[in-house]
Amino acid sequence: MIEKHIILEDIDPLAFYGVNNVHFQLIKSFYPKLRIVARDNIIRVLGDEEEIAVFDENIEKIRRHLLKYNTVSDEDIHDIILGKQPKSEGVKEALVYNVSGKPIKCRSVNQQRLVDAYEKNDMVFAVGPAGTGKTYLSIALAVKALKEKAIKKIILSRPAVEAGEKLGFLPGDMKDKIDPYLQPLYDSLEDMIPATKLQDMMEKHVIQIAPLAFMRGRTLSDAVVILDEAQNTTTAQLRMFLTRMGTNTKMIVTGDMTQIDLPRGQHSGLKEAVAILDGIKGIGIVNLSSKDIVRHKLVTQIVKAYDKHDKEAAARSES
């Protein structure tokens, strides 16, 4: 007889064991000859060497399943241990899975172009109206890269532009003042990474969320770096951000040219960057449109109505 300690890495042990240890009890029922005890993220098993080897292999398969899909069911465990393919693995072309185990994948032609551009280039600009999935899909690509260990960290940033509110009048310290600007990034992450694991990653700085001003002076390596709402950057700010790029790093810059909140007289750095950098090898530029909107169907109608209004206003101004 031998004893072995198995460490559950990169996952939430509570999700692995299940509510009231139901998953763990099911696993144990398949190995009545082994003595199995779990504490936190360590499983201690005592028994025959060959049977422990099989047990270890299946535990690793269940761990990888949970890491990929963020959830595991009794049926999944049953199928894995019996050597069958879990039904959830039949989904094709999913980037990652949300915390409920549902696949996150492209839902339009231009969204697929964004994914293709990311795979072929180290820097990607994704420009389009609200609701086209620019930010959500970009974060999904970053989470996928992190899970596959292609990078060591995810860095998310936004310019803290005051859209109708004065930052100084908001309550709390600097973090409390800045967090409302960054909340959409938190929302996307919370949909893809279980809360306990996300909190741990943020405490260890594996996932970093910070205003654009905090990027100055840094060299960003071994990371996927996403700049959201880049239409609200000045030329100098965006130039500073783009030159932070280090080794083994991919950058995704997203923005909506119709929602520029910069003070009157300031030009959008995103608009200028897309024009200057177009055609450079290693930089991809993807334009999304109202046809790519994946929010409520009314969002599409709202975007079209405002586009029509803007065109009519521009025509009146010219005449």
Side-chain angles (χ1 to χ4, degrees):
M1 294 183 70
I2 66 166
E3 180 175 327
K4 183 170 185 176
H5 290 189
I6 301 170
I7 301 175
L8 302 174
E9 295 181 338
D10 301 326
I11 61 169
D12 179 7
L14 293 177
F16 182 92
Y17 298 135
V19 178
N20 295 323
N21 282 335
V22 290
H23 295 339
F24 187 57
Q25 295 303 324
L26 174 61
I27 293 169
K28 288 174 65 175
S29 70
F30 282 92
Y31 302 94
K33 295 180 181 179
L34 297 178
R35 183 180 176 186
I36 307 167
V37 179
R39 185 182 181 90
D40 296 327
N41 69 327
I42 299 175
I43 298 175
R44 186 167 63 88
V45 55
L46 181 68
D48 176 73
E49 184 175 0
E50 290 186 6
E51 193 165 2
I52 286 179
V54 174
F55 173 81
D56 186 14
E57 182 180 350
N58 284 327
I59 289 295
E60 176 58 18
K61 288 179 180 178
I62 297 169
R63 187 196 69 83
R64 287 201 303 264
H65 181 96
L66 181 57
L67 181 63
K68 181 176 181 179
Y69 298 99
N70 288 318
T71 185
V72 65
S73 66
D74 286 351
E75 186 178 7
D76 292 331
I77 292 170
H78 191 276
D79 288 343
I80 289 170
I81 292 178
L82 293 181
K84 300 178 182 178
Q85 183 186 54
K87 292 180 181 179
S88 55
E89 293 186 4
V91 178
K92 302 297 182 183
E93 299 177 357
L95 296 175
V96 289
Y97 292 77
N98 69 11
V99 292
S100 301
K102 294 181 179 179
I104 297 171
K105 54 186 179 179
C106 299
R107 295 172 61 183
S108 73
V109 173
N110 284 329
Q111 284 191 356
Q112 185 61 55
R113 285 176 180 160
L114 172 55
V115 173
D116 293 342
Y118 169 86
E119 291 175 351
K120 295 175 183 176
N121 301 280
D122 288 337
M123 184 178 292
V124 178
F125 289 84
V127 182
T132 51
K134 305 181 300 294
T135 304
Y136 192 77
L137 204 60
S138 297
I139 292 177
L141 286 167
V143 170
K144 180 176 184 288
L146 188 64
K147 286 191 173 187
E148 293 175 351
K149 298 187 185 299
I151 56 166
K152 294 181 180 178
K153 55 184 177 285
I154 297 173
I155 301 171
L156 310 175
S157 186
R158 267 187 165 200
V161 174
E162 299 171 1
E165 292 185 71
K166 293 296 182 183
L167 195 61
F169 285 98
L170 294 174
D173 58 18
M174 180 55 71
K175 183 179 185 301
D176 294 329
K177 293 174 189 290
I178 292 296
D179 271 358
Y181 290 96
L182 306 176
Q183 190 58 48
L185 304 178
Y186 288 113
D187 291 343
S188 296
L189 286 170
E190 288 169 355
D191 193 41
M192 300 179 202
I193 302 174
T196 303
K197 186 63 180 175
L198 177 58
Q199 182 66 31
D200 180 60
M201 286 179 163
M202 295 186 73
E203 288 176 356
K204 293 178 179 177
H205 302 291
V206 174
I207 294 178
Q208 304 171 26
I209 305 179
L212 178 59
F214 288 32
M215 297 294 109
R216 189 173 298 278
R218 298 183 65 183
T219 299
L220 309 175
S221 301
D222 295 311
V224 171
V225 188
I226 299 172
L227 175 61
D228 193 34
E229 299 289 345
Q231 76 277 2
N232 288 326
T233 61
T234 64
T235 298
Q237 285 175 329
L238 189 51
R239 186 174 181 174
M240 176 274 293
F241 173 80
L242 296 178
T243 55
R244 300 305 94 200
M245 193 174 195
T247 57
N248 189 38
T249 290
K250 290 206 173 198
M251 281 188 166
I252 307 176
V253 180
T254 72
D256 177 2
M257 297 299 194
T258 67
Q259 294 187 0
I260 298 174
D261 299 315
L262 290 168
R264 187 181 297 275
Q266 286 193 8
H267 299 290
S268 171
L270 176 61
K271 191 172 185 179
E272 190 173 50
V274 168
I276 293 173
L277 303 177
D278 188 18
I280 294 179
K281 188 177 181 180
I283 297 179
I285 298 174
V286 180
N287 291 293
L288 298 100
S289 69
S290 57
K291 294 180 181 179
D292 301 299
I293 292 175
V294 292
R295 290 182 185 168
H296 194 285
K297 59 184 179 181
L298 277 178
V299 176
T300 304
Q301 301 303 317
I302 291 168
V303 170
K304 288 182 177 179
Y306 272 95
D307 285 345
K308 181 181 178 183
H309 172 79
D310 291 343
K311 289 178 182 178
E312 291 174 350
R316 287 195 298 270
S317 177
E318 289 178 2
S319 63

